[in-house]
Amino acid sequence: DSGREPLHWAVSRGHTELAGHLLDQVGKAAVDVADDDGWTPLIIAASAGHSQLVTMLLDNGADVNKTTSQGRSALLYCASKGREELASCLVSRGADTNCKDQLGATPLHRAAGLGHAGVVRFLLAADNTLVDTQDRYGNTALHYSCEEERTEVAKLLISHGASRELTNREEKTPLEMAGPADRKSVV
């Protein structure tokens, strides 16, 4: 019912040997096959944290920037789950650090709001990561880190030039979204 192929299921369960066998049988044409929601084997492997499968799929020509029907890439899922090593692998293979999902969230938004300082640090070190990108709601990564009281991440973003003055659709700056204790700490 989901439009998933055997490769999707093998990857989701972390069956590296079976996934390799399936790739040998169906060829590289199946490496980017999407299910009904746009999930490719690479997106599934990255979301599940299966590093070896991510590498295997990329080595077999998987498109590192494919997205789900909601516009979410493998890198966005890695950032959401704090998977710094996988994020590094994907970026080294050409993943777009500024890709946006349908809500305008980038990997930096996702990592910052969840407090994944290692992923935030890695993304900021990537040459082309835009620190002040705003999502559909006008929020930047700094807005989310302040709102979720992720002080370490907020300080990291500010040290990399994140604006404390940008306002979102509610006309709030990032610091206005922080609690009083965090506001003092960030300032």
Side-chain angles (χ1 to χ4, degrees):
D1 290 343
S2 65
R4 288 200 170 178
E5 302 286 331
L7 183 58
H8 291 105
W9 296 111
V11 167
S12 71
R13 300 289 185 185
H15 297 302
T16 306
E17 190 174 315
L18 178 57
H21 175 74
L22 290 168
L23 284 170
D24 288 343
Q25 295 300 309
V26 296
K28 292 184 179 184
V31 76
D32 281 328
V33 67
D35 69 9
D36 292 347
D37 290 322
W39 285 71
T40 64
L42 178 63
I43 295 170
I44 292 168
S47 181
H50 300 308
S51 301
Q52 191 174 4
L53 282 164
V54 166
T55 301
M56 176 193 295
L57 292 164
L58 289 169
D59 288 346
N60 277 278
D63 182 345
V64 72
N65 288 308
K66 283 269 193 187
T67 60
T68 66
S69 60
Q70 295 179 339
R72 296 185 178 135
S73 67
L75 180 58
L76 192 128
Y77 282 107
C78 286
S80 295
K81 295 182 179 189
R83 296 194 171 105
E84 186 178 351
E85 183 180 311
L86 274 177
S88 176
C89 173
L90 293 168
V91 170
S92 74
R93 300 289 191 103
D96 180 3
T97 59
N98 298 306
C99 62
K100 293 182 177 184
D101 67 11
Q102 287 182 342
L103 299 176
T106 65
L108 189 60
H109 283 102
R110 299 298 290 263
L114 293 166
H116 298 308
V119 175
V120 169
R121 194 173 289 106
F122 168 76
L123 290 170
L124 291 172
D127 289 338
N128 61 343
T129 300
L130 302 173
V131 71
D132 281 331
T133 298
Q134 292 178 286
D135 65 11
R136 279 180 50 185
Y137 308 102
N139 292 316
T140 64
L142 184 57
H143 280 91
Y144 287 115
S145 64
C146 287
E147 180 180 41
E148 297 298 326
E149 301 178 354
R150 311 294 187 187
T151 306
E152 177 188 0
V153 171
K155 288 178 179 180
L156 186 59
L157 290 165
I158 290 169
S159 75
H160 281 80
S163 173
R164 295 180 242 186
E165 305 303 318
L166 282 176
T167 58
N168 62 16
R169 285 183 20 195
E170 296 175 357
E171 298 184 19
K172 290 186 178 182
T173 66
L175 296 180
E176 290 173 327
M177 296 181 74
D182 286 321
R183 192 174 303 137
K184 284 182 185 178
S185 185
V186 170
V187 171

